[in-house]
Amino acid sequence: MATNNSDAGSSLIDEPAAPRVLDSELLVRGHVWDIRRDRFEFGGATLERDYMDHPGAVAVLALDAEDRVLLIKQYRHPIAHRDWEIPAGLMDMPGESGLRTAQRELAEEVDLGAERWDLLLDLFLSPGGSSEAMRVFLARDLHTVEHDYVRGEEEAEFVPHWVPLEDAVSAVLDGSVKNAVTASAVLATLAAKGRGWKTLRDPQLPWTAREASRGERSA
């Protein structure tokens, strides 16, 4: 029988952990990310786990003055789908902050800038098999920008679509939109709006989750 713990809410905080890593082996050097195998001590035993060693990523929920969110449809080869996504990108520029990466990606993918930035969500996308940490920003007071970036490959077919926030939420809840980041972002935006935007955080807060996920992997 489940126990009703009225104090559970106060303890709902993800906690960093640092078990002793005995060995870390690079199995595959990938084009974008690597596959790594770690042996580590945990609970009195030695465990071995393979996982994707990921640099981290950011995403942007762009919301206009009419409460519409900007979505793009992008082909994703591993799932053989064109899924609906919000602008996003890898943390692959040395020394670049999460906020700066988000600003760059919004410009490069959909030709937009924003006067107001807030931190909406921090996510671990697949903690059982990937070190990827993602930070999702809310961008408002939007304007068009010019840049020198040329979209190619899958990005070449990007077409921005402005969708009412409520319609995007409905598409997530009825299963039409399945992208985890898109779903998390639109649901969080609706929840934040319903709470008078009081849940939004400083976009320049230290990103400790990513720092932990990118920690030293060798003994």
Side-chain angles (χ1 to χ4, degrees):
M1 180 181 294
T3 300
N4 182 16
N5 183 354
S6 60
D7 296 326
S10 63
S11 61
L12 288 176
I13 302 174
D14 293 342
E15 297 179 349
R20 182 173 176 234
V21 178
L22 304 173
D23 181 66
S24 186
E25 178 186 1
L26 180 63
L27 299 180
V28 177
R29 175 74 70 185
H31 177 64
V32 178
W33 41 67
D34 302 330
I35 302 299
R36 184 171 289 278
R37 174 174 295 161
D38 283 2
R39 284 194 314 113
F40 58 98
E41 295 178 347
F42 186 83
T46 298
L47 305 181
E48 187 173 87
R49 297 289 184 269
D50 299 346
Y51 62 94
M52 179 190 298
D53 193 5
H54 196 285
V58 298
V60 183
L61 192 294
L63 186 71
D64 72 5
E66 300 176 42
D67 274 353
R68 298 181 304 171
V69 301
L70 187 146
L71 300 178
I72 50 180
K73 186 178 284 188
Q74 180 168 3
Y75 174 67
R76 294 296 192 181
H77 189 70
I79 60 172
H81 276 70
R82 285 183 172 89
D83 68 339
W84 286 103
E85 304 187 7
I86 59 176
L90 296 172
M91 292 287 296
D92 55 2
M93 297 290 287
E96 191 172 71
S97 69
L99 176 58
R100 178 66 192 107
T101 300
Q103 292 169 334
R104 177 172 55 80
E105 292 291 341
L106 187 65
E108 291 177 352
E109 293 196 354
V110 293
D111 308 321
L112 287 178
E115 296 300 321
R116 181 166 184 178
W117 290 84
D118 293 286
L119 174 55
L120 181 65
L121 287 173
D122 280 322
L123 302 172
F124 291 124
L125 291 186
S126 184
S130 172
S131 68
E132 181 176 8
M134 173 168 275
R135 176 157 276 192
V136 184
F137 297 88
L138 178 65
R140 290 176 287 175
D141 297 340
L142 305 166
H143 55 84
T144 58
V145 296
E146 296 182 359
H147 55 83
D148 297 327
Y149 183 77
V150 178
R151 291 187 285 270
E153 300 177 338
E154 293 94 338
E155 293 182 348
E157 67 175 21
F158 280 1
V159 177
H161 293 265
W162 289 99
V163 180
L165 176 59
E166 292 282 356
D167 290 356
V169 169
S170 296
V172 168
L173 295 179
D174 70 16
S176 300
V177 170
K178 304 173 185 65
N179 182 280
V181 177
T182 304
S184 298
V186 299
L187 293 174
T189 299
L190 183 66
K193 180 185 175 185
R195 298 185 182 193
W197 303 114
K198 294 179 181 179
T199 60
L200 300 177
R201 291 171 285 155
D202 183 345
Q204 301 193 66
L205 280 176
W207 195 353
T208 55
R210 179 173 180 262
E211 291 166 3
S213 71
R214 297 293 294 168
E216 181 60 54
R217 296 288 182 176
S218 59

